[in-house]
Amino acid sequence: MSWSAKQYVTFEDERTRPARDLLAAIPSGAVRSAIDIGCGPGNSTELLVERFADATVRGLDSSTDMIEAARKRLPQVRFDVADIDTWNDTGPFDVIFANAVLQWVPDHATLLPALVSKLAPGGSLAIQMPDNLNQPSHRLMREVAADGPWAGKLAEVAEQRTEMADASAYYSMLKACCTRVDVWRTTYHHPLAGGASGVVEWFKGSGLRPFLEPLDETERTQFLQQYQAAIAQTYPALADGSVLLPFPRLFLVATR
Ligand SMILES: C[S@@+](CC[C@H](N)C(=O)[O-])C[C@H]1O[C@@H](n2cnc3c(N)ncnc32)[C@H](O)[C@@H]1O
């Protein structure tokens, strides 16, 4: 699936806030090397550069469009096009930062301990993932996908996102290889201008991408019209015309 840096940064402030909250929970201590995996356009990497001013900070992402945007934003940082699934750098890193990416990478029971093994002793793996697959926004994507002429093309799309484990399963998975594990869940409420169309714009930069990509131009327009109509019924506009979008996210900070 390809990602568009331009569409993603439309809501950059809102999308970067969880990254700030995640970063704030990493225990203080000397950091010489930090890496931002799934760095996107470099918005989360920029936070690492600010906090760990004396460290070597790097970034990686599987999207060439995102890496190009990140290199423009932070020319002093090394960014690589790489897939987390096959990433074989052994580190050691003092911080591995994964904000809003591991929901796209399968088999967390194998992946998370493998990431911890790339940490130096005392290093931290910091993860944030949207916990929204059961929110109406995502249920409606699946319903529109299953209920249109595109149903055949989109039959397997809903499975691209990794099913999340619950907080206690992640805690156990990480506690087996870490000295300290911090887990929490936050629901942000993002006010989006433009009502239902604001919600659609938001998800065009993330969750809708796999549903739209296989469609031709006409199908894409129809899919978005149907999705927006369904969103308008489920997320009514407030008096000022905006919609308050509830967005739950799960956070994990595991220290080796
Ligand atoms: C929602 S963006 C997050 C960007 C940034 N970390 C932030 O905090 O806003 C998800 C990013 O993960 C990247 N991505 C998805 N699957 C990946 C994989 N298997 N390996 C590396 N990057 C991946 C996408 O290209 C995209 O840039």
Side-chain angles (χ1 to χ4, degrees):
M1 182 185 58
S2 68
W3 283 77
S4 155
K6 188 163 170 278
Q7 182 74 36
Y8 187 71
V9 297
T10 310
F11 295 98
E12 184 168 296
D13 278 354
E14 291 86 346
R15 294 199 203 276
T16 307
R17 175 154 170 213
R20 284 196 202 95
D21 294 347
L22 179 64
L23 183 63
I26 296 175
S28 55
V31 170
R32 282 148 304 185
S33 64
I35 186 153
D36 187 12
I37 60 172
C39 61
N43 52 319
S44 44
T45 322
E46 195 164 36
L47 301 178
L48 298 185
V49 169
E50 282 164 15
R51 171 151 171 201
F52 306 120
D54 298 330
T56 302
V57 175
R58 287 166 45 191
L60 70 83
D61 199 285
S62 53
S63 154
T64 47
D65 189 49
M66 288 293 195
I67 287 293
E68 210 175 291
R71 284 180 181 148
K72 276 198 195 121
R73 181 181 197 132
L74 296 169
Q76 77 280 23
V77 171
R78 173 179 152 190
F79 287 102
D80 296 310
V81 177
D83 194 312
I84 293 166
D85 236 352
T86 50
W87 180 47
N88 58 12
D89 190 331
T90 50
F93 299 97
D94 297 308
V95 169
I96 300 178
F97 197 74
N99 187 60
V101 59
L102 296 188
Q103 71 276 14
W104 300 108
V105 187
D107 190 7
H108 288 175
T110 305
L111 176 69
L112 269 45
L115 291 174
V116 168
S117 75
K118 298 176 192 289
L119 291 172
S124 293
L125 169 64
I127 298 169
Q128 180 276 122
M129 294 178 283
D131 194 1
N132 56 3
L133 282 180
N134 295 320
Q135 291 290 297
S137 53
H138 285 64
R139 182 176 44 76
L140 292 172
M141 283 176 207
R142 295 191 292 270
E143 285 179 12
V144 173
D147 185 24
W150 41 69
K153 275 189 190 175
L154 302 183
E156 280 160 27
V157 168
E159 287 151 33
Q160 284 189 14
R161 272 270 299 261
T162 303
E163 198 65 49
M164 299 253 306
D166 64 17
S168 61
Y170 282 116
Y171 181 85
S172 305
M173 226 178 263
L174 288 163
K175 196 67 180 65
C177 52
C178 290
T179 56
R180 174 185 179 274
V181 179
D182 189 6
V183 186
W184 73 104
R185 192 174 186 272
T186 301
T187 300
Y188 296 89
H189 292 267
H190 298 298
L192 300 180
S197 68
V199 177
V200 175
E201 279 309 304
W202 173 285
F203 287 114
K204 270 163 77 180
S206 55
L208 278 173
R209 299 198 61 72
F211 292 96
L212 298 179
E213 211 163 71
L215 304 183
D216 65 33
E217 215 42 54
T218 314
E219 290 172 327
R220 210 171 277 181
T221 307
Q222 282 171 5
F223 184 104
L224 287 173
Q225 277 168 355
Q226 262 177 248
Y227 180 62
Q228 183 164 324
I231 288 286
Q233 289 199 340
T234 314
Y235 296 89
L238 304 176
D240 67 359
S242 66
V243 160
L244 205 53
L245 175 70
F247 201 122
R249 295 177 183 270
L250 184 74
F251 294 76
L252 308 160
V253 176
T255 303
R256 191 172 184 187

